[in-house]
Amino acid sequence: MLIKGARQVGKTTIVREFARTNYPHFVEINFEKDPQAKEAFAGSRDAKTIISRLSIMGYGPFVEGKTLVFLDEIQSCPNARTAIKFLAEDGRFDYIESGFLLGINYGEVSSFPVGYESQIQMYPLDFEEWLWANNISEEVIAQIREAYNNHHPMDDFMHEQLMKHYRTFLIVGGMPKVVTTYFSNSDFSQTLRQQRLIINNYRLDIAKYADKDKARAKRFFDAIPAELSKTHKRFILSDLEKTGNMQKYGDAAQWLDDAGIALFCYNTHALNLPFEQYKNRNLFKVYLLDTGLLCAMWGDNIQWQVLNGDIDINEGALTENFVAAELSKHGHTLHYYDRKSRNELDFLIREEKKVTIIEVKSGNDYEKHAALDNVLDEQSEYVERSLVLNKFQYKQHNDILYLPLYMAMML
């Protein structure tokens, strides 16, 4: 199994926990902490040779049928990625690989283990997992699911409590170390400090791995909060420099995408499937992988505004980023609709064989959605559902469902 994902989303921790509860023996090899381990994978691809080399380096014990071998930071050892096929064929031990930037160094991997490797993309906690962390019972989550599936409001008290959890989640986010810090320390400044450490570590990764694109990748990354705060939220490369375009910034954008730090939402000019056929790669919005990190990058005590009920800050960018992240965590690719700068819709996802439209409203005027109304008047035959996510209770008007924002976890 290969676990992909951004730095510090908890990949290493969860593999260790899985090994602790399922295997008598666990061998962990981190190619960044121990660069010498790469030598075990140089030359011969023979499984017995590789295991012997690792054993003589002090890794082990390797007990047949009872050992999980964890190859961490595998992006730093392309030969190990190639060798997985032969290690899997050998069959004596189980393997988990983990890393990030795995799309960047694909040219260095001489042969991918096609058919021998299952892949999982790992993200920060989603809102349902945040509720677990708050000891919210499965019974409550089942009530949310039942209300979502059967189209009725939550109990008013439950709704208010869930919105409080939602607002707290916006500012804390789902990075595991940040969540742990928040629950173990009543001083929120410690939570904010942990968020800023992660942001700085991402900047260090850019400096270390982005090679010739590091200056542009850093400029791109640092611009995400400001670009999201604009009314129309589309990421404008000429805002970074007058001559900015995809020819200049395409590699930097790809780096941030592969690193899992940024979530790209591409324009589609038609309500038709498949989205890829109508995608414009030159028009896109960029969200951060985590709303807590986004708040930390904004600064200005935004956290206190959100906790006090103001989720409409910065043109509603925070709520829109929350929905983008939830959709990504649940396996959706991100697309927005805009045709000739008319009738822009926040998100499109595929449900059944049609398109579901998702509009995100953070303010009190959530029933005003001229773009959605126009599209439904003109192209309703392509639409499966129309959803408006907002801070109020469920209701339905005509063919539009109004759902509380926390129900994004059900999409």
Side-chain angles (χ1 to χ4, degrees), residues 9-23:
V9 296
K11 300 187 296 295
T12 299
T13 299
I14 205 159
V15 171
R16 288 172 179 166
E17 177 65 14
F18 174 73
R20 186 186 68 80
T21 56
N22 290 280
Y23 289 84

Side-chain angles (χ1 to χ4, degrees), residues 234-253:
R234 184 161 67 85
F235 200 103
I236 307 297
L237 292 171
S238 58
D239 288 347
L240 307 186
E241 58 175 297
K242 287 184 179 180
T243 57
N245 54 40
M246 280 302 286
Q247 187 174 353
K248 274 190 174 184
Y249 280 90
D251 288 344

Side-chain angles (χ1 to χ4, degrees), residues 232 234 236 267-270 280 283 285 336-345 370-371 374-375:
H232 292 291
R234 184 161 67 85
I236 307 297
N267 167 266
T268 179
H269 61 269
N280 186 341
L283 299 176
K285 302 176 186 179
Y336 76 97
Y337 174 82
D338 188 12
R339 186 174 184 180
K340 298 180 180 179
S341 299
R342 293 179 61 248
N343 298 333
E344 182 175 314
L345 303 173
N374 290 339
V375 167

